[in-house]
Amino acid sequence: MKRLFTYILLLFASAIISCKASKSVYMFTSFHEPANEGLRLLYSYDAIHWTDLNRTFIKPEAGEAKIMRDPSIAQGPDGVYHLVWTTGWKDDKGIGYASSKDLIHWSAQQHLNVMEYEPTAVNAWAPELFYDDEAGRFIIVWASTVPNRFAKGQEDENNNHRLYYTTTADFKTFAPTKLFLDPGFSVIDAEIVKRGKNDYILVMKDNTRPNRNILVAFSNNPLGPYSNYTKRFTETYSEGPSMTKTGKNWFIYYDSYRLKRYGAMRTTDFKTFTDIADSISVPTGHKHGTIFKVTQKQLNLLLKDSVAVKTNQQ
């Protein structure tokens, strides 16, 4: 009986350890200006208080400028993490891409020339990854300016963005680039989030002057069309929105760059938005990232590797 009791205790302890190891942890991709150091990662257990792992995990090599802005990560069903990022401010028609099984060791970087078919395209900004689990493919959405093609507000013609996209199942072959969204105004920094079956939300920045703030729209398909645009619910000079859910609450983080801090809004219905900027804790220097989840086991590997890297640097 004693042996049986001991065995049951061991099974119970093992179950607790296993459960803890599989617990979800929020991760926030990040970069620091001037964007030449590479990918940084923050983590949180409540999606409110964030800690910087305080190192870079991949140094940018793709593109002529050799920078990494707006890093976006999404995990595929095979467990592989895929990363895309902005490789240049202007005169760059491509985006960066790399993959990893553990967020520590990364594949060779590629420069995907997603706008090469447009001879006058100015840029390819803030690519965002979304895994479409119903179609079994990744969707990459980014903002580009093609001068003299769309209606314009007060902004310069070379700053009149629309959203474009491509899809891929393996990051080896890509569907031809197509227009993703023309909302009738200059738009950048768009992220797709699935709220439920046939229920998708697009959070984005209205980049027209004088707006430059955040709103969302809705669709029953991740590729759109999107409609029912909300009011602009953040202060002006807001960009880089990223959305995540905890409990019944959706948090929309964004870079409030004029105030030189990170902002956040909370909502349950996408009709009423509550400013929670004074309640969040985001490390100084954090810039435009996206939020995804990992297990506690994966975070432990990142923490262990970060300690080893710092020790080797001393």
Side-chain angles (χ1 to χ4, degrees), residues 224-258:
Y226 285 87
S227 59
N228 298 324
Y229 294 81
T230 66
K231 64 180 181 180
R232 279 64 173 166
F233 52 81
T234 66
E235 66 273 15
T236 55
Y237 301 97
S238 301
E239 64 183 10
S242 185
M243 202 151 50
T244 193
K245 187 181 183 184
T246 175
K248 295 182 179 180
N249 292 314
W250 288 91
F251 294 157
I252 304 173
Y253 277 88
Y254 58 92
D255 184 355
S256 185
Y257 56 97
R258 182 175 62 174

PDB file of all heavy atoms in Angstrom, residues 224-258:
ATOM      1  N   GLY A 224     -10.645  39.037 -46.319  1.00  0.00           N
ATOM      2  CA  GLY A 224     -11.610  40.102 -46.524  1.00  0.00           C
ATOM      3  C   GLY A 224     -12.709  39.705 -47.493  1.00  0.00           C
ATOM      4  O   GLY A 224     -12.842  38.536 -47.845  1.00  0.00           O
ATOM      5  N   PRO A 225     -13.528  40.691 -47.898  1.00  0.00           N
ATOM      6  CA  PRO A 225     -13.382  42.130 -47.641  1.00  0.00           C
ATOM      7  C   PRO A 225     -13.720  42.518 -46.203  1.00  0.00           C
ATOM      8  O   PRO A 225     -14.570  41.884 -45.572  1.00  0.00           O
ATOM      9  CB  PRO A 225     -14.380  42.761 -48.617  1.00  0.00           C
ATOM     10  CG  PRO A 225     -15.434  41.701 -48.799  1.00  0.00           C
ATOM     11  CD  PRO A 225     -14.705  40.391 -48.745  1.00  0.00           C
ATOM     12  N   TYR A 226     -13.048  43.557 -45.704  1.00  0.00           N
ATOM     13  CA  TYR A 226     -13.274  44.068 -44.355  1.00  0.00           C
ATOM     14  C   TYR A 226     -14.187  45.290 -44.411  1.00  0.00           C
ATOM     15  O   TYR A 226     -14.097  46.112 -45.325  1.00  0.00           O
ATOM     16  CB  TYR A 226     -11.943  44.420 -43.690  1.00  0.00           C
ATOM     17  CG  TYR A 226     -11.186  43.183 -43.248  1.00  0.00           C
ATOM     18  CD1 TYR A 226     -10.329  42.519 -44.134  1.00  0.00           C
ATOM     19  CD2 TYR A 226     -11.335  42.667 -41.968  1.00  0.00           C
ATOM     20  CE1 TYR A 226      -9.651  41.370 -43.743  1.00  0.00           C
ATOM     21  CE2 TYR A 226     -10.661  41.523 -41.570  1.00  0.00           C
ATOM     22  CZ  TYR A 226      -9.821  40.874 -42.464  1.00  0.00           C
ATOM     23  OH  TYR A 226      -9.165  39.736 -42.071  1.00  0.00           O
ATOM     24  N   SER A 227     -15.058  45.382 -43.405  1.00  0.00           N
ATOM     25  CA  SER A 227     -16.031  46.482 -43.374  1.00  0.00           C
ATOM     26  C   SER A 227     -16.364  46.828 -41.924  1.00  0.00           C
ATOM     27  O   SER A 227     -15.740  46.317 -40.997  1.00  0.00           O
ATOM     28  CB  SER A 227     -17.303  46.084 -44.131  1.00  0.00           C
ATOM     29  OG  SER A 227     -17.881  44.931 -43.544  1.00  0.00           O
ATOM     30  N   ASN A 228     -17.357  47.692 -41.727  1.00  0.00           N
ATOM     31  CA  ASN A 228     -17.786  48.118 -40.386  1.00  0.00           C
ATOM     32  C   ASN A 228     -16.619  48.687 -39.578  1.00  0.00           C
ATOM     33  O   ASN A 228     -16.350  48.264 -38.454  1.00  0.00           O
ATOM     34  CB  ASN A 228     -18.442  46.957 -39.631  1.00  0.00           C
ATOM     35  CG  ASN A 228     -19.686  46.450 -40.320  1.00  0.00           C
ATOM     36  OD1 ASN A 228     -20.447  47.226 -40.898  1.00  0.00           O
ATOM     37  ND2 ASN A 228     -19.891  45.141 -40.295  1.00  0.00           N
ATOM     38  N   TYR A 229     -15.917  49.630 -40.156  1.00  0.00           N
ATOM     39  CA  TYR A 229     -14.768  50.240 -39.496  1.00  0.00           C
ATOM     40  C   TYR A 229     -15.198  50.956 -38.218  1.00  0.00           C
ATOM     41  O   TYR A 229     -16.212  51.663 -38.195  1.00  0.00           O
ATOM     42  CB  TYR A 229     -14.089  51.242 -40.427  1.00  0.00           C
ATOM     43  CG  TYR A 229     -13.448  50.607 -41.639  1.00  0.00           C
ATOM     44  CD1 TYR A 229     -14.207  50.268 -42.756  1.00  0.00           C
ATOM     45  CD2 TYR A 229     -12.084  50.340 -41.666  1.00  0.00           C
ATOM     46  CE1 TYR A 229     -13.625  49.681 -43.875  1.00  0.00           C
ATOM     47  CE2 TYR A 229     -11.493  49.751 -42.772  1.00  0.00           C
ATOM     48  CZ  TYR A 229     -12.270  49.425 -43.866  1.00  0.00           C
ATOM     49  OH  TYR A 229     -11.683  48.837 -44.962  1.00  0.00           O
ATOM     50  N   THR A 230     -14.416  50.760 -37.157  1.00  0.00           N
ATOM     51  CA  THR A 230     -14.710  51.451 -35.904  1.00  0.00           C
ATOM     52  C   THR A 230     -14.217  52.895 -35.965  1.00  0.00           C
ATOM     53  O   THR A 230     -13.527  53.292 -36.906  1.00  0.00           O
ATOM     54  CB  THR A 230     -14.022  50.757 -34.717  1.00  0.00           C
ATOM     55  OG1 THR A 230     -12.594  50.893 -34.867  1.00  0.00           O
ATOM     56  CG2 THR A 230     -14.387  49.287 -34.636  1.00  0.00           C
ATOM     57  N   LYS A 231     -14.525  53.627 -34.930  1.00  0.00           N
ATOM     58  CA  LYS A 231     -13.941  54.944 -34.761  1.00  0.00           C
ATOM     59  C   LYS A 231     -12.444  54.794 -34.510  1.00  0.00           C
ATOM     60  O   LYS A 231     -11.959  53.712 -34.149  1.00  0.00           O
ATOM     61  CB  LYS A 231     -14.589  55.661 -33.581  1.00  0.00           C
ATOM     62  CG  LYS A 231     -14.326  54.963 -32.246  1.00  0.00           C
ATOM     63  CD  LYS A 231     -14.986  55.683 -31.079  1.00  0.00           C
ATOM     64  CE  LYS A 231     -14.675  54.952 -29.771  1.00  0.00           C
ATOM     65  NZ  LYS A 231     -15.291  55.619 -28.596  1.00  0.00           N
ATOM     66  N   ARG A 232     -11.704  55.879 -34.690  1.00  0.00           N
ATOM     67  CA  ARG A 232     -10.282  55.878 -34.323  1.00  0.00           C
ATOM     68  C   ARG A 232     -10.233  56.036 -32.803  1.00  0.00           C
ATOM     69  O   ARG A 232     -10.697  57.037 -32.274  1.00  0.00           O
ATOM     70  CB  ARG A 232      -9.536  57.012 -34.991  1.00  0.00           C
ATOM     71  CG  ARG A 232      -9.140  56.745 -36.446  1.00  0.00           C
ATOM     72  CD  ARG A 232     -10.323  56.575 -37.365  1.00  0.00           C
ATOM     73  NE  ARG A 232      -9.929  56.492 -38.777  1.00  0.00           N
ATOM     74  CZ  ARG A 232     -10.719  56.087 -39.733  1.00  0.00           C
ATOM     75  NH1 ARG A 232     -11.964  55.733 -39.466  1.00  0.00           N
ATOM     76  NH2 ARG A 232     -10.299  56.039 -40.981  1.00  0.00           N
ATOM     77  N   PHE A 233      -9.696  55.017 -32.114  1.00  0.00           N
ATOM     78  CA  PHE A 233      -9.852  54.989 -30.664  1.00  0.00           C
ATOM     79  C   PHE A 233      -8.565  55.235 -29.883  1.00  0.00           C
ATOM     80  O   PHE A 233      -8.544  55.080 -28.663  1.00  0.00           O
ATOM     81  CB  PHE A 233     -10.480  53.665 -30.218  1.00  0.00           C
ATOM     82  CG  PHE A 233      -9.784  52.435 -30.741  1.00  0.00           C
ATOM     83  CD1 PHE A 233      -8.640  51.950 -30.147  1.00  0.00           C
ATOM     84  CD2 PHE A 233     -10.305  51.762 -31.837  1.00  0.00           C
ATOM     85  CE1 PHE A 233      -8.007  50.823 -30.632  1.00  0.00           C
ATOM     86  CE2 PHE A 233      -9.680  50.626 -32.328  1.00  0.00           C
ATOM     87  CZ  PHE A 233      -8.528  50.155 -31.726  1.00  0.00           C
ATOM     88  N   THR A 234      -7.490  55.624 -30.548  1.00  0.00           N
ATOM     89  CA  THR A 234      -6.252  55.977 -29.834  1.00  0.00           C
ATOM     90  C   THR A 234      -5.899  57.429 -30.116  1.00  0.00           C
ATOM     91  O   THR A 234      -6.456  58.055 -31.021  1.00  0.00           O
ATOM     92  CB  THR A 234      -5.070  55.087 -30.264  1.00  0.00           C
ATOM     93  OG1 THR A 234      -4.759  55.363 -31.648  1.00  0.00           O
ATOM     94  CG2 THR A 234      -5.398  53.613 -30.096  1.00  0.00           C
ATOM     95  N   GLU A 235      -4.950  57.943 -29.345  1.00  0.00           N
ATOM     96  CA  GLU A 235      -4.477  59.287 -29.580  1.00  0.00           C
ATOM     97  C   GLU A 235      -3.736  59.361 -30.917  1.00  0.00           C
ATOM     98  O   GLU A 235      -3.344  58.351 -31.481  1.00  0.00           O
ATOM     99  CB  GLU A 235      -3.540  59.732 -28.444  1.00  0.00           C
ATOM    100  CG  GLU A 235      -2.238  58.957 -28.347  1.00  0.00           C
ATOM    101  CD  GLU A 235      -2.340  57.696 -27.511  1.00  0.00           C
ATOM    102  OE1 GLU A 235      -3.466  57.246 -27.221  1.00  0.00           O
ATOM    103  OE2 GLU A 235      -1.275  57.143 -27.169  1.00  0.00           O
ATOM    104  N   THR A 236      -3.570  60.568 -31.455  1.00  0.00           N
ATOM    105  CA  THR A 236      -2.808  60.723 -32.688  1.00  0.00           C
ATOM    106  C   THR A 236      -1.353  60.332 -32.441  1.00  0.00           C
ATOM    107  O   THR A 236      -0.887  60.283 -31.307  1.00  0.00           O
ATOM    108  CB  THR A 236      -2.867  62.166 -33.203  1.00  0.00           C
ATOM    109  OG1 THR A 236      -2.425  63.057 -32.159  1.00  0.00           O
ATOM    110  CG2 THR A 236      -4.270  62.546 -33.613  1.00  0.00           C
ATOM    111  N   TYR A 237      -0.643  60.064 -33.538  1.00  0.00           N
ATOM    112  CA  TYR A 237       0.738  59.581 -33.487  1.00  0.00           C
ATOM    113  C   TYR A 237       0.805  58.227 -32.770  1.00  0.00           C
ATOM    114  O   TYR A 237       1.624  58.011 -31.875  1.00  0.00           O
ATOM    115  CB  TYR A 237       1.673  60.597 -32.826  1.00  0.00           C
ATOM    116  CG  TYR A 237       1.711  61.931 -33.533  1.00  0.00           C
ATOM    117  CD1 TYR A 237       0.926  62.994 -33.091  1.00  0.00           C
ATOM    118  CD2 TYR A 237       2.504  62.111 -34.658  1.00  0.00           C
ATOM    119  CE1 TYR A 237       0.935  64.214 -33.749  1.00  0.00           C
ATOM    120  CE2 TYR A 237       2.525  63.338 -35.325  1.00  0.00           C
ATOM    121  CZ  TYR A 237       1.744  64.372 -34.871  1.00  0.00           C
ATOM    122  OH  TYR A 237       1.741  65.581 -35.522  1.00  0.00           O
ATOM    123  N   SER A 238      -0.090  57.325 -33.183  1.00  0.00           N
ATOM    124  CA  SER A 238      -0.097  55.950 -32.685  1.00  0.00           C
ATOM    125  C   SER A 238       0.122  55.018 -33.863  1.00  0.00           C
ATOM    126  O   SER A 238      -0.418  55.241 -34.952  1.00  0.00           O
ATOM    127  CB  SER A 238      -1.443  55.610 -32.035  1.00  0.00           C
ATOM    128  OG  SER A 238      -1.733  56.480 -30.967  1.00  0.00           O
ATOM    129  N   GLU A 239       0.899  53.955 -33.664  1.00  0.00           N
ATOM    130  CA  GLU A 239       1.156  53.020 -34.749  1.00  0.00           C
ATOM    131  C   GLU A 239       1.536  51.647 -34.195  1.00  0.00           C
ATOM    132  O   GLU A 239       1.625  51.446 -32.980  1.00  0.00           O
ATOM    133  CB  GLU A 239       2.274  53.540 -35.650  1.00  0.00           C
ATOM    134  CG  GLU A 239       3.622  53.652 -34.980  1.00  0.00           C
ATOM    135  CD  GLU A 239       4.680  54.247 -35.892  1.00  0.00           C
ATOM    136  OE1 GLU A 239       4.327  54.751 -36.972  1.00  0.00           O
ATOM    137  OE2 GLU A 239       5.864  54.212 -35.518  1.00  0.00           O
ATOM    138  N   GLY A 240       1.756  50.699 -35.105  1.00  0.00           N
ATOM    139  CA  GLY A 240       2.224  49.367 -34.730  1.00  0.00           C
ATOM    140  C   GLY A 240       1.296  48.608 -33.810  1.00  0.00           C
ATOM    141  O   GLY A 240       1.752  48.032 -32.823  1.00  0.00           O
ATOM    142  N   PRO A 241      -0.036  48.566 -34.077  1.00  0.00           N
ATOM    143  CA  PRO A 241      -0.937  47.864 -33.161  1.00  0.00           C
ATOM    144  C   PRO A 241      -0.722  46.359 -33.180  1.00  0.00           C
ATOM    145  O   PRO A 241      -0.410  45.763 -34.215  1.00  0.00           O
ATOM    146  CB  PRO A 241      -2.327  48.231 -33.694  1.00  0.00           C
ATOM    147  CG  PRO A 241      -2.113  48.441 -35.163  1.00  0.00           C
ATOM    148  CD  PRO A 241      -0.765  49.098 -35.254  1.00  0.00           C
ATOM    149  N   SER A 242      -0.889  45.739 -32.022  1.00  0.00           N
ATOM    150  CA  SER A 242      -0.833  44.277 -31.891  1.00  0.00           C
ATOM    151  C   SER A 242      -1.887  43.847 -30.891  1.00  0.00           C
ATOM    152  O   SER A 242      -2.045  44.467 -29.842  1.00  0.00           O
ATOM    153  CB  SER A 242       0.552  43.826 -31.428  1.00  0.00           C
ATOM    154  OG  SER A 242       0.631  42.417 -31.406  1.00  0.00           O
ATOM    155  N   MET A 243      -2.591  42.762 -31.210  1.00  0.00           N
ATOM    156  CA  MET A 243      -3.740  42.373 -30.412  1.00  0.00           C
ATOM    157  C   MET A 243      -3.555  40.979 -29.809  1.00  0.00           C
ATOM    158  O   MET A 243      -2.989  40.086 -30.437  1.00  0.00           O
ATOM    159  CB  MET A 243      -4.986  42.391 -31.303  1.00  0.00           C
ATOM    160  CG  MET A 243      -6.274  42.513 -30.564  1.00  0.00           C
ATOM    161  SD  MET A 243      -7.578  43.333 -31.528  1.00  0.00           S
ATOM    162  CE  MET A 243      -7.546  42.451 -33.076  1.00  0.00           C
ATOM    163  N   THR A 244      -4.032  40.798 -28.579  1.00  0.00           N
ATOM    164  CA  THR A 244      -4.048  39.489 -27.945  1.00  0.00           C
ATOM    165  C   THR A 244      -5.240  39.412 -27.007  1.00  0.00           C
ATOM    166  O   THR A 244      -5.801  40.437 -26.619  1.00  0.00           O
ATOM    167  CB  THR A 244      -2.737  39.221 -27.182  1.00  0.00           C
ATOM    168  OG1 THR A 244      -2.667  37.835 -26.825  1.00  0.00           O
ATOM    169  CG2 THR A 244      -2.623  40.067 -25.914  1.00  0.00           C
ATOM    170  N   LYS A 245      -5.608  38.191 -26.625  1.00  0.00           N
ATOM    171  CA  LYS A 245      -6.768  37.998 -25.766  1.00  0.00           C
ATOM    172  C   LYS A 245      -6.375  37.277 -24.490  1.00  0.00           C
ATOM    173  O   LYS A 245      -5.560  36.348 -24.510  1.00  0.00           O
ATOM    174  CB  LYS A 245      -7.844  37.172 -26.493  1.00  0.00           C
ATOM    175  CG  LYS A 245      -9.158  37.084 -25.718  1.00  0.00           C
ATOM    176  CD  LYS A 245     -10.179  36.232 -26.456  1.00  0.00           C
ATOM    177  CE  LYS A 245     -11.503  36.215 -25.694  1.00  0.00           C
ATOM    178  NZ  LYS A 245     -12.501  35.319 -26.322  1.00  0.00           N
ATOM    179  N   THR A 246      -6.941  37.715 -23.357  1.00  0.00           N
ATOM    180  CA  THR A 246      -6.785  37.018 -22.095  1.00  0.00           C
ATOM    181  C   THR A 246      -8.139  37.050 -21.388  1.00  0.00           C
ATOM    182  O   THR A 246      -8.682  38.125 -21.126  1.00  0.00           O
ATOM    183  CB  THR A 246      -5.685  37.638 -21.217  1.00  0.00           C
ATOM    184  OG1 THR A 246      -5.652  36.975 -19.946  1.00  0.00           O
ATOM    185  CG2 THR A 246      -5.857  39.115 -21.023  1.00  0.00           C
ATOM    186  N   GLY A 247      -8.690  35.872 -21.109  1.00  0.00           N
ATOM    187  CA  GLY A 247     -10.037  35.820 -20.565  1.00  0.00           C
ATOM    188  C   GLY A 247     -11.030  36.371 -21.566  1.00  0.00           C
ATOM    189  O   GLY A 247     -11.006  36.019 -22.743  1.00  0.00           O
ATOM    190  N   LYS A 248     -11.897  37.273 -21.107  1.00  0.00           N
ATOM    191  CA  LYS A 248     -12.866  37.895 -22.004  1.00  0.00           C
ATOM    192  C   LYS A 248     -12.330  39.180 -22.632  1.00  0.00           C
ATOM    193  O   LYS A 248     -12.992  39.774 -23.498  1.00  0.00           O
ATOM    194  CB  LYS A 248     -14.156  38.211 -21.235  1.00  0.00           C
ATOM    195  CG  LYS A 248     -14.894  36.983 -20.726  1.00  0.00           C
ATOM    196  CD  LYS A 248     -16.173  37.378 -20.011  1.00  0.00           C
ATOM    197  CE  LYS A 248     -16.931  36.152 -19.513  1.00  0.00           C
ATOM    198  NZ  LYS A 248     -18.189  36.520 -18.808  1.00  0.00           N
ATOM    199  N   ASN A 249     -11.149  39.594 -22.200  1.00  0.00           N
ATOM    200  CA  ASN A 249     -10.601  40.876 -22.637  1.00  0.00           C
ATOM    201  C   ASN A 249      -9.673  40.735 -23.836  1.00  0.00           C
ATOM    202  O   ASN A 249      -8.828  39.835 -23.882  1.00  0.00           O
ATOM    203  CB  ASN A 249      -9.827  41.541 -21.495  1.00  0.00           C
ATOM    204  CG  ASN A 249     -10.724  41.984 -20.369  1.00  0.00           C
ATOM    205  OD1 ASN A 249     -11.765  42.597 -20.602  1.00  0.00           O
ATOM    206  ND2 ASN A 249     -10.325  41.670 -19.142  1.00  0.00           N
ATOM    207  N   TRP A 250      -9.823  41.649 -24.772  1.00  0.00           N
ATOM    208  CA  TRP A 250      -8.869  41.816 -25.854  1.00  0.00           C
ATOM    209  C   TRP A 250      -8.013  43.033 -25.518  1.00  0.00           C
ATOM    210  O   TRP A 250      -8.541  44.090 -25.162  1.00  0.00           O
ATOM    211  CB  TRP A 250      -9.584  42.053 -27.180  1.00  0.00           C
ATOM    212  CG  TRP A 250     -10.257  40.844 -27.737  1.00  0.00           C
ATOM    213  CD1 TRP A 250     -11.543  40.446 -27.523  1.00  0.00           C
ATOM    214  CD2 TRP A 250      -9.674  39.868 -28.603  1.00  0.00           C
ATOM    215  NE1 TRP A 250     -11.810  39.286 -28.204  1.00  0.00           N
ATOM    216  CE2 TRP A 250     -10.681  38.905 -28.881  1.00  0.00           C
ATOM    217  CE3 TRP A 250      -8.414  39.706 -29.186  1.00  0.00           C
ATOM    218  CZ2 TRP A 250     -10.462  37.800 -29.707  1.00  0.00           C
ATOM    219  CZ3 TRP A 250      -8.185  38.618 -30.008  1.00  0.00           C
ATOM    220  CH2 TRP A 250      -9.198  37.677 -30.262  1.00  0.00           C
ATOM    221  N   PHE A 251      -6.694  42.878 -25.610  1.00  0.00           N
ATOM    222  CA  PHE A 251      -5.772  43.991 -25.407  1.00  0.00           C
ATOM    223  C   PHE A 251      -5.196  44.394 -26.762  1.00  0.00           C
ATOM    224  O   PHE A 251      -4.741  43.545 -27.528  1.00  0.00           O
ATOM    225  CB  PHE A 251      -4.621  43.595 -24.483  1.00  0.00           C
ATOM    226  CG  PHE A 251      -5.040  43.296 -23.071  1.00  0.00           C
ATOM    227  CD1 PHE A 251      -4.262  42.497 -22.258  1.00  0.00           C
ATOM    228  CD2 PHE A 251      -6.215  43.812 -22.540  1.00  0.00           C
ATOM    229  CE1 PHE A 251      -4.630  42.209 -20.957  1.00  0.00           C
ATOM    230  CE2 PHE A 251      -6.592  43.545 -21.244  1.00  0.00           C
ATOM    231  CZ  PHE A 251      -5.807  42.736 -20.443  1.00  0.00           C
ATOM    232  N   ILE A 252      -5.234  45.683 -27.037  1.00  0.00           N
ATOM    233  CA  ILE A 252      -4.637  46.222 -28.255  1.00  0.00           C
ATOM    234  C   ILE A 252      -3.474  47.117 -27.847  1.00  0.00           C
ATOM    235  O   ILE A 252      -3.667  48.221 -27.326  1.00  0.00           O
ATOM    236  CB  ILE A 252      -5.658  47.019 -29.082  1.00  0.00           C
ATOM    237  CG1 ILE A 252      -6.875  46.145 -29.405  1.00  0.00           C
ATOM    238  CG2 ILE A 252      -5.007  47.527 -30.371  1.00  0.00           C
ATOM    239  CD1 ILE A 252      -8.009  46.886 -30.077  1.00  0.00           C
ATOM    240  N   TYR A 253      -2.268  46.615 -28.038  1.00  0.00           N
ATOM    241  CA  TYR A 253      -1.060  47.380 -27.740  1.00  0.00           C
ATOM    242  C   TYR A 253      -0.664  48.198 -28.963  1.00  0.00           C
ATOM    243  O   TYR A 253      -0.905  47.793 -30.103  1.00  0.00           O
ATOM    244  CB  TYR A 253       0.082  46.435 -27.380  1.00  0.00           C
ATOM    245  CG  TYR A 253       0.082  45.985 -25.934  1.00  0.00           C
ATOM    246  CD1 TYR A 253      -0.635  44.856 -25.536  1.00  0.00           C
ATOM    247  CD2 TYR A 253       0.799  46.675 -24.969  1.00  0.00           C
ATOM    248  CE1 TYR A 253      -0.638  44.431 -24.216  1.00  0.00           C
ATOM    249  CE2 TYR A 253       0.805  46.266 -23.649  1.00  0.00           C
ATOM    250  CZ  TYR A 253       0.091  45.146 -23.274  1.00  0.00           C
ATOM    251  OH  TYR A 253       0.085  44.741 -21.973  1.00  0.00           O
ATOM    252  N   TYR A 254      -0.040  49.351 -28.719  1.00  0.00           N
ATOM    253  CA  TYR A 254       0.422  50.173 -29.832  1.00  0.00           C
ATOM    254  C   TYR A 254       1.550  51.096 -29.359  1.00  0.00           C
ATOM    255  O   TYR A 254       1.675  51.396 -28.161  1.00  0.00           O
ATOM    256  CB  TYR A 254      -0.727  50.996 -30.427  1.00  0.00           C
ATOM    257  CG  TYR A 254      -1.409  51.913 -29.437  1.00  0.00           C
ATOM    258  CD1 TYR A 254      -1.002  53.237 -29.274  1.00  0.00           C
ATOM    259  CD2 TYR A 254      -2.465  51.447 -28.654  1.00  0.00           C
ATOM    260  CE1 TYR A 254      -1.625  54.075 -28.361  1.00  0.00           C
ATOM    261  CE2 TYR A 254      -3.091  52.277 -27.735  1.00  0.00           C
ATOM    262  CZ  TYR A 254      -2.668  53.583 -27.597  1.00  0.00           C
ATOM    263  OH  TYR A 254      -3.275  54.411 -26.682  1.00  0.00           O
ATOM    264  N   ASP A 255       2.326  51.528 -30.317  1.00  0.00           N
ATOM    265  CA  ASP A 255       3.439  52.437 -30.050  1.00  0.00           C
ATOM    266  C   ASP A 255       2.930  53.869 -30.118  1.00  0.00           C
ATOM    267  O   ASP A 255       2.584  54.367 -31.190  1.00  0.00           O
ATOM    268  CB  ASP A 255       4.540  52.203 -31.090  1.00  0.00           C
ATOM    269  CG  ASP A 255       5.789  53.035 -30.825  1.00  0.00           C
ATOM    270  OD1 ASP A 255       5.774  53.861 -29.900  1.00  0.00           O
ATOM    271  OD2 ASP A 255       6.776  52.852 -31.556  1.00  0.00           O
ATOM    272  N   SER A 256       2.846  54.527 -28.963  1.00  0.00           N
ATOM    273  CA  SER A 256       2.437  55.928 -28.907  1.00  0.00           C
ATOM    274  C   SER A 256       3.704  56.770 -29.026  1.00  0.00           C
ATOM    275  O   SER A 256       4.258  57.239 -28.036  1.00  0.00           O
ATOM    276  CB  SER A 256       1.703  56.214 -27.586  1.00  0.00           C
ATOM    277  OG  SER A 256       1.199  57.529 -27.561  1.00  0.00           O
ATOM    278  N   TYR A 257       4.135  56.949 -30.264  1.00  0.00           N
ATOM    279  CA  TYR A 257       5.503  57.447 -30.470  1.00  0.00           C
ATOM    280  C   TYR A 257       5.684  58.926 -30.150  1.00  0.00           C
ATOM    281  O   TYR A 257       6.787  59.359 -29.840  1.00  0.00           O
ATOM    282  CB  TYR A 257       5.997  57.123 -31.881  1.00  0.00           C
ATOM    283  CG  TYR A 257       5.158  57.621 -33.021  1.00  0.00           C
ATOM    284  CD1 TYR A 257       5.464  58.812 -33.675  1.00  0.00           C
ATOM    285  CD2 TYR A 257       4.082  56.886 -33.509  1.00  0.00           C
ATOM    286  CE1 TYR A 257       4.725  59.260 -34.754  1.00  0.00           C
ATOM    287  CE2 TYR A 257       3.339  57.316 -34.587  1.00  0.00           C
ATOM    288  CZ  TYR A 257       3.659  58.513 -35.206  1.00  0.00           C
ATOM    289  OH  TYR A 257       2.915  58.952 -36.282  1.00  0.00           O
ATOM    290  N   ARG A 258       4.643  59.720 -30.192  1.00  0.00           N
ATOM    291  CA  ARG A 258       4.809  61.118 -29.785  1.00  0.00           C
ATOM    292  C   ARG A 258       4.984  61.223 -28.269  1.00  0.00           C
ATOM    293  O   ARG A 258       5.770  62.031 -27.780  1.00  0.00           O
ATOM    294  CB  ARG A 258       3.623  61.969 -30.228  1.00  0.00           C
ATOM    295  CG  ARG A 258       3.787  63.450 -29.874  1.00  0.00           C
ATOM    296  CD  ARG A 258       2.681  64.309 -30.415  1.00  0.00           C
ATOM    297  NE  ARG A 258       1.373  63.948 -29.861  1.00  0.00           N
ATOM    298  CZ  ARG A 258       0.252  64.637 -30.086  1.00  0.00           C
ATOM    299  NH1 ARG A 258       0.285  65.697 -30.884  1.00  0.00           N
ATOM    300  NH2 ARG A 258      -0.885  64.256 -29.547  1.00  0.00           N
TER     301      ARG A 258
END
